[in-house]
């Protein structure tokens, strides 16, 4: 069973989890943990960080955090397990093609301005790629980027979208702007909702993977113009699919 804490890989939550503002602690904490789940930053079957760590990172009381987790449990997104290896675990999401989950997702995306979401996503992604290449990455950061890319290679279809998200979030996080990374995490959660409404196409995934490789190569070579252009094309491809299926 996967465990985000035992893996030591809590950095993947950095673009999303941040201290909430006074006055809306419950709502903002719920929003952030929902983003963690929707983005797949904690995979199905993995355990969320311990209550103490989550409360500290969000800047809320453990009472408030438990109220948030109770809502997520009521919605069927997480489950609580007791015992030595207990905690709060992310549940497998139901198929979205039909049933209550599908209806809920469709209601949610009906309120989304698709064009605005796609354009904002492109601005953030292209900017982040260019910044990473222009400013350069440390050896440790370059290693993180390579690892995120490697994880997408030969990934099973069921896990590809989550690992793809992790790669893009890594680029956003490494660009040096926490504000950009935070905004990207929010818009990517909406993009993932849209992507959940269209099929996974093997041909498209193969093409995307080629673009991922070219992107990482450009970033590591310090080719800012190349990194921006690859990312722009990559975003345009995803946007074309979403427009085609959802228009």
């Amino acid at each position: 069973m996967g465990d985000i804490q035992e893996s030591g890989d809590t950095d993947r939550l950095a673009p999303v989890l941040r201290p909430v503002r006074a006055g809306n602690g419950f709502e903002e904490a719920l929003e952030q943990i929902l983003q963690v789940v929707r983005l797949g930053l904690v995979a199905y079957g993995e355990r969320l960080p311990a209550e103490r760590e989550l409360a500290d990172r969000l800047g809320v009381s453990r009472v408030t955090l438990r109220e948030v987790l109770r809502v997520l449990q009521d919605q069927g997104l997480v489950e609580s397990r007791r015992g030595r290896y207990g905690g709060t675990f992310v549940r497998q999401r139901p198929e979205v093609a039909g049933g209550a989950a599908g209806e809920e997702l469709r209601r949610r995306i009906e309120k989304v301005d698709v064009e605005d979401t796609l354009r904002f996503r492109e601005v953030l992604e292209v900017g982040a790629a260019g910044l990473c290449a222009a400013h350069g990455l440390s050896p440790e950061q370059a290693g993180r980027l390579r690892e995120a890319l490697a994880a997408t290679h030969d990934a099973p279809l069921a896990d590809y979208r989550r690992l793809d998200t992790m790669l893009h979030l890594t680029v956003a996080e490494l660009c040096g702007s926490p504000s950009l990374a935070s905004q990207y995490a929010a818009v990517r959660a909406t993009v993932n909702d849209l992507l959940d409404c269209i099929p996974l196409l093997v041909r498209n995934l193969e093409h995307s993977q080629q673009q991922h490789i070219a992107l990482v190569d450009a970033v590591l070579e310090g080719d800012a113009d190349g990194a921006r252009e690859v990312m722009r094309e990559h975003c345009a491809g995803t946007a074309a699919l979403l427009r085609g299926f959802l228009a």
Side-chain angles (χ1 to χ4, degrees), residues 4-188:
I4 189 172
Q5 288 180 293
E6 290 178 1
S7 70
D9 184 17
T10 55
D11 283 345
R12 63 177 122 158
L13 305 186
V16 175
L17 296 184
R18 59 199 179 278
V20 302
R21 293 168 293 183
N24 292 313
F26 169 79
E27 290 81 4
E28 291 191 17
L30 178 59
E31 177 188 20
Q32 291 185 40
I33 299 180
L34 273 170
Q35 284 186 13
V36 166
V37 174
R38 290 166 63 197
L39 288 167
L41 299 185
V42 179
Y44 309 135
E46 278 190 350
R47 184 168 62 182
L48 290 172
E51 286 186 5
R52 183 185 301 277
E53 180 186 346
L54 275 178
D56 287 346
R57 295 183 70 165
L58 293 167
V60 298
S61 70
R62 293 180 72 174
V63 171
T64 296
L65 178 65
R66 285 169 184 158
E67 292 175 349
V68 168
L69 296 178
R70 189 174 301 116
V71 170
L72 296 177
Q73 187 166 340
D74 290 343
Q75 295 299 310
L77 297 174
V78 301
E79 62 181 354
S80 178
R81 302 177 191 170
R82 296 183 178 181
R84 180 179 178 184
Y85 300 105
T88 302
F89 292 79
V90 175
R91 294 187 61 185
Q92 177 74 44
R93 290 176 66 181
E95 292 296 327
V96 298
E103 288 300 320
E104 171 59 27
L105 181 58
R106 280 186 282 274
R107 282 195 296 269
R108 195 157 66 228
I109 67 168
E110 282 175 0
K111 302 175 183 178
V112 173
D113 185 330
V114 176
E115 284 301 320
D116 179 66
T117 298
L118 295 177
R119 290 173 183 174
F120 189 40
R121 180 238 179 152
E122 180 179 338
V123 168
L124 294 176
E125 294 242 42
V126 171
L131 286 172
C132 283
H135 294 176
L137 302 180
S138 69
E140 184 274 334
Q141 290 174 326
R144 283 186 57 196
L145 185 58
R146 290 192 185 96
E147 288 176 5
L149 174 64
T152 64
H153 290 319
D154 301 319
L157 285 179
D159 211 28
Y160 183 85
R161 192 160 286 161
R162 181 181 72 85
L163 296 173
D164 171 71
T165 297
M166 291 298 303
L167 173 60
H168 284 264
L169 279 170
T170 299
V171 174
E173 187 182 356
L174 295 178
C175 81
S177 171
S179 295
L180 187 153
S182 175
Q183 289 293 315
Y184 177 67
V187 78
R188 180 67 193 218

